[in-house]
Every structure is written in structure tokens, then in C-alpha cells.
């Protein structure tokens, strides 16, 4: 049994804490709101984020960050990407001795263009950090808490740490693989949300499975092109955190990114979609970062660029699709190691 704290009690933080508590670990879940930590502790529910779900009785909760940081020999960070840097700055002042940090978030920071593990490494003093592991893959919280079979990957530069995380989470319904390609795993995880927004848009416009299959496969091609230029292993993108997560996020009714895209395709404004969701839509902010990464690494990313114009340049979704379909003729198989 390990002492683990999960930082962030939204849908995913609560779901990973659910798995850890069911695995018999001494798990403490940090919610930034008192009312939510009391609800988790006393009613064993998180009605807002996971309606209808009874949480394990051995799952403890607190709204005091320092209590959570002190409790966990392992800290699992589960807040949206935009909150990661701030949370790390805070927990860095509270850590006594090196901790294993697991993050389960999916995004890239615009402007700095840092991956999440890079932000964590930047903000935590080296002596506070044992290793960083990204836990990622096709895994909607709503299905994990129903104990539906789910597979994910624990990725790290430190394979011993990745294996420790594998052992921590593995159970009958939650299967964990390891991967030493942290760049590939984090890039796949972040950029699939951008493609899922586009898939939602085509569904919202009333297009069918052909369009979605095109987005998934051509999305995978451009994510792989970028990832390989950034130093990732090409085969990572055929795995759980690449193709696997693209499929789940582009096709699931649980996906916030797909839902957001669907509403955009139906003519809603970005502002209304974001304010109405009540949960994080990582792909919107990541689209900005991806657009900047495509320029920085000089990689052709037509789907990402098209989505960027819908989100930030007021291009109507149907015009976006027309423009994509009328692009210059291409060969299908790209040279992943060169230009398209
Ligand atoms: N939901 C899912 O199925 C999956 C999500 N993920 C990833 O996990 C990450 C978290 O997503 P998810 O749990 O779904 O998001 P939610 O929107 O469901 O919850 C976000 C949580 O983070 C808290 N939070 C928001 N901003 C801050 C901040 N500045 N400081 C501290 N806490 C903050 C929220 O608190 P409050 O309630 O007070 O607003 C809430 O508890 C994302 O990167 C997402 O892509 C990965 C796999 C699956
Ligand atoms: O990453 C996820 C599933 O693997 C969650 O996706 P959404 O944020 O689109 O719900």
C-alpha cells in the first residue's frame, strides 16, 4: 500500500483517485473547494463531475493543499494544463524531500510551448523531484468509474518510475503499459484534443463517418510529423496515446472536446461553448500551442491550422471543410522524417 495524493478533483482526478483507492492505496484527493472536499469525504460522491457514482469509502479528501502534499509519497497532478504551472509553484514550497510526480493532464502551454512534464521539471526544485511520469491514454472518467476495461500508458524517461506507476494503478479493469517515449506520449495526448474538436465540427455540420475517419487518419499523420520532428518515436503514435486516444476522443459522447466541436459545427459561438461546458476543453488552448509548434518546427499541419482559423479567426466551420477538401493534390504516405 502506498500513500498517494491526487491534486485536482474534477472528473479525471476523481476517477484516478477512485482506481487508487480501490487498489487499496491510502489515497487523499485534493479539491480546491471546501464544499467539494466535504462532499467527497462525507457523502462519497462528486455529483457535479461524476453524477450517479458512489466513490470508495476509503477515499479521503481535503481542501488543504499542504496536507495533501505532505500526505503523498506519490503526487498525481490532475488539474487542467493552464493550472499546472501555478499548482507546481505552490506545491514546491510545501514538499519535504523528493516525490514521484505523476501527471494525467493533456495539453501544451501556448507561447512557452512546453509539455506538461517540462513545466513540472521547471517549477519543482530538483531536490523535490524523484521522477516525472505521464499517465495517458484512451480513458474517459465516466467509463473508468463504471469499471469498464480501460488501457493507458505510464511514460517516463525513468523506466523504474514508469513501472512503479504501472504497479500502482494496474487492476482488473485498468491495464497500464509503460513507454519510455515521454515526448511522443505527451504530444499525442495533447494534440488529439485539437483533432477531436475538428471531428465534432464535422459531425455538427451533419457530415458522417467518412469525414471522421479522414480526420482521425490525417490527424494522426500530422501529429506524427510534428512529434517525430520534436524527437518522438514514430511508433508511439500508433499506440494508446496516439491512435487509441484519437479514436476515443473523436468518437465518444463523453468527450468534451468532441462535444465542443459539435456545438461549434451547429453554429454556436466559441464563447458560449466554453462557458456552457463547465469542464475543461483542453483542445482550444492547445490549438494555439499547436499552431505555434507547426511554425516553430516548420511542419505542415493542415487540420490544426484549419481548426485554428475557426477558433481564433472567425472562419465559418463549413468554409474550413471546403478549404481542406480543396487543398493542393498530395501523395498519401508522408515521409515522417522529412517534409510532407
Ligand atoms: N475527464 C477525462 O475523462 C479525462 C481528462 N484528462 C485530462 O485531465 C485533466 C483534468 O481534466 P478533468 O478532470 O477532466 O477536468 P475538469 O474540468 O473535470 O476538472 C478540473 C479540476 O481542476 C480544478 N482546477 C481548475 N483550475 C484550477 C486551478 N487554477 N488550480 C487548482 N485547481 C484547478 C477544478 O476545480 P473546480 O471544480 O473548483 O473548478 C476541477 O477540480 C485535463 O488535462 C484533461 O485533458 C485525461 C484523461 C481523461
Ligand atoms: O482525454 C480524454 C479521454 O482519453 C478526455 O477527453 P475530453 O477532454 O475530450 O473529454
Amino acid at each position: 500500500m502506498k500513500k498517494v495524493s491526487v491534486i485536482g478533483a474534477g472528473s479525471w482526478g476523481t476517477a484516478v483517485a477512485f482506481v487508487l483507492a480501490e487498489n487499496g492505496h491510502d489515497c487523499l484527493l485534493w479539491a480546491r473547494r471546501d464544499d467539494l472536499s466535504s462532499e467527497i469525504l462525507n457523502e462519497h460522491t462528486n455529483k457535479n463531475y461524476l453524477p450517479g457514482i458512489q466513490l470508495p469509502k476509503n477515499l479521503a479528501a481535503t481542501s488543504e493543499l499542504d496536507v495533501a502534499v505532505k500526505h503523498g509519497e506519490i503526487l498525481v497532478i490532475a488539474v487542467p494544463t493552464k493550472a499546472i504551472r501555478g499548482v507546481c509553484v505552490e506545491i514546491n514550497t510545501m514538499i519535504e524531500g523528493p516525490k514521484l510526480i505523476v501527471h494525467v493532464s493533456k495539453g501544451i502551454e501556448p507561447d512557452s510551448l512546453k509539455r506538461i512534464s517540462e513545466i513540472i521539471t521547471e517549477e519543482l526544485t530538483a531536490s523535490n523531484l524523484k521522477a516525472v511520469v505521464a499517465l495517458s491514454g484512451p480513458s474517459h472518467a465516466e467509463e473508468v468509474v463504471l469499471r469498464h476495461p480501460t488501457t493507458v500508458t505510464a511514460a517516463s524517461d525513468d523506466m523504474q518510475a514508469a513501472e512503479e506507476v504501472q504497479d500502482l494503478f494496474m487492476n482488473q479493469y485498468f491495464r497500464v503499459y509503460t513507454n519510455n517515449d515521454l515526448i511522443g506520449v505527451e504530444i499525442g495526448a495533447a494534440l488529439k484534443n485539437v483533432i477531436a474538436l475538428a471531428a465534432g465540427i464535422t459531425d455538427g455540420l451533419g457530415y458522417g463517418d467518412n469525414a471522421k475517419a479522414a480526420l482521425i487518419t490525417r490527424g494522426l499523420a500530422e501529429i506524427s510529423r510534428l512529434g517525430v520532428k520534436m524527437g518522438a518515436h514514430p511508433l508511439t503514435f500508433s499506440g494508446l496515446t496516439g491512435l487509441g486516444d484519437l479514436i476515443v476522443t473523436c468518437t465518444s459522447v463523453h468527450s468534451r472536446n468532441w462535444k465542443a466541436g459539435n456545438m461549434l459545427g451547429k453554429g454556436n459561438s466559441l464563447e458560449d461553448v466554453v462557458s456552457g461546458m463547465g469542464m475543461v476543453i483542453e483542445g482550444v488552448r492547445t490549438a494555439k500551442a499547436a499552431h505555434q509548434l507547426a511554425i516553430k518546427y516548420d511542419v505542415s499541419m493542415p487540420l490544426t491550422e484549419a481548426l485554428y482559423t475557426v477558433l481564433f479567426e472567425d472562419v465559418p466551420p463549413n468554409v474550413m471543410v471546403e478549404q481542406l477538401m480543396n487543398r493542393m493534390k498530395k501523395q498519401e504516405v508522408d515521409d515522417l522524417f522529412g517534409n510532407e
Side-chain angles (χ1 to χ4, degrees):
M1 184 184 75
K2 294 268 168 76
K3 286 167 89 77
V4 191
S5 293
V6 177
I7 310 296
S11 31
W12 193 225
T14 306
V16 295
F18 178 105
V19 173
L20 291 166
E22 287 219 319
N23 287 0
H25 298 297
D26 180 0
C27 184
L28 180 61
L29 177 56
W30 174 78
R32 66 173 167 175
R33 285 177 288 117
D34 274 340
D35 57 335
L36 181 53
S37 72
S38 302
E39 183 196 330
I40 295 167
L41 199 55
N42 301 317
E43 296 171 45
H44 312 292
T45 58
N46 185 344
K47 293 190 192 90
N48 220 7
Y49 286 110
L50 293 170
I53 297 301
Q54 199 61 33
L55 301 173
K57 298 229 165 25
N58 63 327
L59 173 60
T62 182
S63 57
E64 289 173 46
L65 188 57
D66 58 332
V67 171
V69 169
K70 284 193 175 68
H71 169 87
E73 54 190 290
I74 300 170
L75 302 181
V76 180
I77 302 182
V79 294
T81 306
K82 71 170 174 359
I84 296 265
R85 198 176 279 283
V87 162
C88 286
V89 168
E90 268 195 81
I91 67 177
N92 194 44
T93 62
M94 300 165 178
I95 297 180
E96 291 162 1
K99 305 258 187 192
L100 172 54
I101 308 287
V102 182
H103 85 76
V104 296
S105 306
K106 296 177 177 174
I108 303 277
E109 191 173 59
D111 303 327
S112 79
L113 304 184
K114 300 284 180 185
R115 293 175 284 111
I116 294 170
S117 63
E118 293 178 305
I119 300 172
I120 294 170
T121 311
E122 259 180 26
E123 296 301 343
L124 295 192
T125 312
S127 57
N128 285 340
L129 192 56
K130 215 168 113 190
V132 187
V133 177
L135 188 71
S136 194
S139 52
H140 277 118
E142 293 82 353
E143 294 190 1
V144 169
V145 294
L146 293 176
R147 303 182 186 84
H148 289 179
T150 299
T151 51
V152 296
T153 295
S156 181
D157 297 331
D158 178 337
M159 283 312 277
Q160 211 178 321
E163 282 164 22
E164 193 176 336
V165 172
Q166 181 178 42
D167 290 338
L168 191 73
F169 280 94
M170 278 279 264
N171 67 25
Q172 292 287 315
Y173 59 86
F174 202 75
R175 181 168 175 76
V176 185
Y177 292 80
T178 57
N179 190 333
N180 64 3
D181 180 13
L182 187 55
I183 299 177
V185 164
E186 291 188 309
I187 290 298
L191 294 208
K192 60 86 186 173
N193 285 331
V194 176
I195 304 300
L197 278 166
I201 287 178
T202 58
D203 282 330
L205 285 169
Y207 300 132
D209 300 337
N210 297 354
K212 191 137 57 183
L215 284 168
I216 292 173
T217 47
R218 296 310 300 162
L220 185 63
E222 69 182 53
I223 293 171
S224 307
R225 267 199 303 274
L226 174 70
V228 168
K229 269 233 171 152
M230 292 175 74
H233 192 293
L235 283 180
T236 298
F237 300 104
S238 315
L240 293 171
T241 60
L243 181 59
D245 216 351
L246 261 175
I247 292 173
V248 98
T249 316
C250 292
T251 63
S252 171
V253 291
H254 299 304
S255 166
R256 284 83 45 96
N257 287 283
W258 177 86
K259 267 186 224 162
N262 193 254
M263 289 165 75
L264 290 171
K266 290 191 162 122
N268 296 283
S269 71
L270 180 59
E271 207 178 24
D272 287 350
V273 169
V274 170
S275 63
M277 189 68 65
M279 286 186 256
V280 65
I281 309 164
E282 288 278 23
V284 174
R285 199 162 170 268
T286 302
K288 252 185 207 155
H291 162 78
Q292 293 168 338
L293 279 170
I295 295 167
K296 176 175 175 188
Y297 286 92
D298 190 22
V299 173
S300 163
M301 301 188 73
L303 298 180
T304 300
E305 291 303 343
L307 180 77
Y308 180 89
T309 63
V310 172
L311 295 180
F312 305 115
E313 293 174 357
D314 287 331
V315 169
N318 60 323
V319 175
M320 168 195 99
V321 175
E322 264 170 44
Q323 286 173 350
L324 280 168
M325 292 304 287
N326 289 312
R327 292 172 63 235
M328 217 168 60
K329 294 192 291 185
K330 300 271 173 194
Q331 287 193 15
E332 184 186 8
V333 180
D334 307 325
D335 175 7
L336 285 179
F337 302 96
N339 289 319
E340 189 190 14

